[in-house]
Amino acid sequence: MLILLFYVGNDLYALDSSQVVEVIPRVILRKIYHAPDYVAGLFNYRGAIVPVIDLCHLIQGQPSCSYLSTRIIMVNYITKEKHKRCFGLMAERVTETLNKPATSLTIDSGEKADQDHPYLGGIIMDEKGMIQYIRLEYLLSDAQHQYLLAAGER
């Protein structure tokens, strides 16, 4: 399985590349007022208005740094109604991929799953160190799904 690697602060994270549509440079985003701080904003992606979630802000409470390697990862999200929606994930140092067998993605961290953050999957061990797997299907709660993904339908 091919995974896309990126950083949140100094910690390494991974996302299944089959969910990735495209990795693009940072763009100017329109702020969504009264949205949670981790929502970086909206932009026009190939004729559709899509939200961008800042993973650094979501996970660690600090906005992404403006590195040259800070990118927006465009991903496909399948809604509960089985509709495919696209949105962006902003992350730092999005520069490489890693090919790992699917069995290596199930390593448990030894702790009970975080009920407040179900998108944090198991730990992948590699010579790069520990890599936290992001489960995209759990990234948005029902309320976030309704609020954020509906923004592009207006």
Side-chain angles (χ1 to χ4, degrees):
M1 172 183 287
L2 188 63
I3 55 176
L4 178 65
L5 300 178
F6 57 90
Y7 283 83
V8 172
N10 291 322
D11 298 324
L12 192 55
Y13 288 81
L15 184 66
D16 183 352
S17 68
S18 69
Q19 299 169 311
V20 176
V21 175
E22 183 177 14
V23 177
I24 62 173
R26 288 180 61 163
V27 297
I28 296 173
L29 301 171
R30 179 177 178 166
K31 179 73 177 155
I32 304 174
Y33 295 98
H34 310 292
D37 291 339
Y38 60 81
V39 179
L42 299 170
F43 80 107
N44 181 341
Y45 177 71
R46 301 184 188 275
I49 304 300
V50 297
V52 175
I53 296 172
D54 185 338
L55 288 176
C56 294
H57 209 257
L58 176 68
I59 295 171
Q60 292 186 340
Q62 298 292 325
S64 293
C65 293
S66 294
Y67 300 129
L68 288 175
S69 59
T70 300
R71 298 282 187 255
I72 297 174
I73 306 164
M74 299 305 299
V75 296
N76 278 323
Y77 181 82
I78 307 299
T79 67
K80 289 184 179 183
E81 296 80 25
K82 304 297 182 205
H83 297 113
K84 189 188 310 184
R85 292 297 314 271
C86 193
F87 68 93
L89 300 172
M90 187 182 304
E92 299 172 349
R93 296 183 275 166
V94 183
T95 58
E96 59 185 309
T97 59
L98 183 64
N99 205 355
K100 286 290 217 181
T103 55
S104 68
L105 302 179
T106 59
I107 297 172
D108 189 4
S109 62
E111 297 181 18
K112 185 179 175 186
D114 187 342
Q115 298 298 322
D116 293 331
H117 310 327
Y119 57 86
L120 295 175
I123 302 291
I124 302 163
M125 295 302 297
D126 186 69
E127 63 261 5
K128 296 179 182 305
M130 292 187 290
I131 304 169
Q132 179 87 53
Y133 184 70
I134 298 289
R135 300 184 308 176
L136 183 61
E137 63 274 17
Y138 297 108
L139 189 64
L140 299 177
S141 68
D142 287 341
Q144 292 165 326
H145 169 262
Q146 293 296 327
Y147 181 75
L148 292 175
L149 296 184
E153 294 175 349
R154 294 182 192 152

